[in-house]
Amino acid sequence: MKILVTGGYGLVGKSLQKVVKACDFDGNFYFLSRVDCDLRNSEQTTNWFKEYNPDVVVHLASRVGGVYDNMNGNYEYLVDNARININVVDSCKVVGVKMLINILSTCIFPDQNVSYPLTSNQLHNGLPHHSNIGYAYSKRILHLASHLLTKIDVDKWCTRVVNLTPTNLYGDYDNYNLKSSHVIPGLIHKTSIAKMTSGELHVYGTGKAMRQFLYVDDLSNVILQFIDLYKDKALNEMEISCIVSPPESSEISIKSLIEKICNIFNFTGKIHYDTSYSDGQYKKTASSDELSKYLPNLTYTSISTGLENTIKFFNDNKEHLRL
Ligand code: GDP
């Protein structure tokens, strides 16, 4: 079975490479990089898909960034990602891919008039938060285009779609750039500098926002388990949508996250909360119930273990990471 992974060298792609190797997963993987193909270009994308002719596509490629990078670049987040997503879905149609696994995000859900915990069927019920509206709509387009793809029956073949929607992801090969990163890699980088220089730690916002953090290797495991279910012919529906989230009880405030990071670094200096920065969405609490239906025995890495692993990796590999 040929499995094409778009975005094969990003946060999730690198983790998937590691997990595939660790469990000796049976499959012929190709991890696509931006050097192989610019997925924003439809001709290049279709040609690449025709040449490789995958059975399964794991679509990870995306322009991704933290709340402040999204606020500064909503237009680019919409246009680049909408192009990538349409080109990937349409190329799946052209070559007759059997299963497409998409990665969405809980940040693309409506911000108001939604009932918590979030469930996949609420995705299109209202406007996303203004801070990442471009990214959110590009992913909603991916969701819609994939849904419509499952309705097309070309020469007795149909594409099965699995939409996996993780909560806030973090792990080894994250983007640690101080301007464009998400909170965990950004704060790991900042705390390491504050510790080295005996300076203050600058945190953005009030620290009151609530998040559920998912360790990236847990998402990679879920992706591989869905490929296994497909191989075993154990998936009945043509379209499956699941939030991938540790239990609701794992939700913590940004303030409590910062305390955990500081403890691991043994940083005891001053912490300054710069409230001139937005907190972004207050919360996006999600339930792990949807996924339990398919993978009842799944376990999640605790935030303490995940942070310890990630901080160790950061300290050991600083010079090779996106800083
Ligand atoms: P979000 O979940 O999409 O909002 O993504 P982020 O990971 O970028 O931000 C999560 C929360 O962390 C927000 O409430 C931010 O205000 C807060 N935060 C605190 N310090 C930082 C920082 O240095 N970088 C980022 N990206 N967020 C920070």
Side-chain angles (χ1 to χ4, degrees), residues 13 39 54 58 64 68 79 88 91 156 179 229 238 263 307:
L39 295 170
V58 181
V64 186
Y68 306 112
V79 172
V88 166
S91 299
K156 307 272 177 290
K179 282 207 174 108
L229 288 175
M238 284 309 290
N263 275 342
L307 282 177

Side-chain angles (χ1 to χ4, degrees), residues 283-299:
K283 68 170 186 176
K284 31 195 176 177
T285 320
S287 149
S288 48
D289 290 355
E290 288 176 346
L291 192 59
S292 319
K293 195 177 132 199
Y294 298 95
L295 309 176
N297 300 320
L298 201 68
T299 54

Side-chain angles (χ1 to χ4, degrees), residues 65-68 107 132 168 178 181-184 186-187 190 202-206 209 211 213 254 258 278-281 284:
V67 58
Y68 306 112
C107 72
N132 64 355
N168 280 55
L178 295 178
S181 60
H182 282 102
V183 61
I184 290 186
L187 262 300
K190 282 184 190 175
H202 284 259
V203 177
Y204 299 148
T206 63
R211 297 289 184 266
F213 293 100
I254 296 301
I258 308 291
S278 158
D279 276 340
Q281 233 168 324
K284 31 195 176 177

Side-chain angles (χ1 to χ4, degrees), residues 121-283:
N121 60 356
Q122 298 186 74
L123 177 59
H124 296 283
N125 288 358
L127 281 177
H129 194 264
H130 60 86
S131 59
N132 64 355
I133 193 164
Y135 178 81
Y137 270 103
S138 74
K139 288 284 186 181
R140 290 185 185 193
I141 289 171
L142 171 63
H143 182 262
L144 176 62
S146 304
H147 165 71
L148 297 175
L149 180 65
T150 64
K151 307 285 172 205
I152 299 177
D153 183 348
V154 185
D155 299 333
K156 307 272 177 290
W157 137 88
C158 283
T159 302
R160 187 183 297 277
V161 169
V162 177
N163 296 303
L164 299 176
T165 303
T167 49
N168 280 55
L169 278 174
Y170 71 103
D172 293 354
Y173 285 96
D174 216 328
N175 165 19
Y176 294 84
N177 181 279
L178 295 178
K179 282 207 174 108
S180 58
S181 60
H182 282 102
V183 61
I184 290 186
L187 262 300
I188 288 177
H189 192 176
K190 282 184 190 175
T191 312
S192 113
I193 294 172
K195 174 89 184 162
M196 268 187 312
T197 59
S198 306
E200 268 190 8
L201 177 60
H202 284 259
V203 177
Y204 299 148
T206 63
K208 289 182 184 156
M210 304 294 292
R211 297 289 184 266
Q212 274 160 294
F213 293 100
L214 178 69
Y215 189 51
V216 68
D217 292 359
D218 294 348
L219 178 62
S220 296
N221 271 319
V222 169
I223 293 170
L224 294 183
Q225 291 196 45
F226 269 99
I227 298 176
D228 264 340
L229 288 175
Y230 169 70
K231 279 200 242 165
D232 297 344
K233 300 193 177 6
L235 294 176
N236 298 320
E237 304 99 310
M238 284 309 290
E239 185 179 7
I240 294 165
S241 292
C242 285
I243 289 179
V244 185
S245 163
E248 280 167 71
S249 57
S250 70
E251 189 174 49
I252 57 170
S253 69
I254 296 301
K255 187 165 186 286
S256 143
L257 169 77
I258 308 291
E259 283 162 7
K260 288 179 192 299
I261 293 176
C262 289
N263 275 342
I264 298 174
F265 273 98
N266 199 15
F267 173 77
T268 51
K270 193 160 183 279
I271 303 175
H272 173 69
Y273 284 86
D274 186 343
T275 53
S276 66
Y277 281 81
S278 158
D279 276 340
Q281 233 168 324
Y282 171 58
K283 68 170 186 176

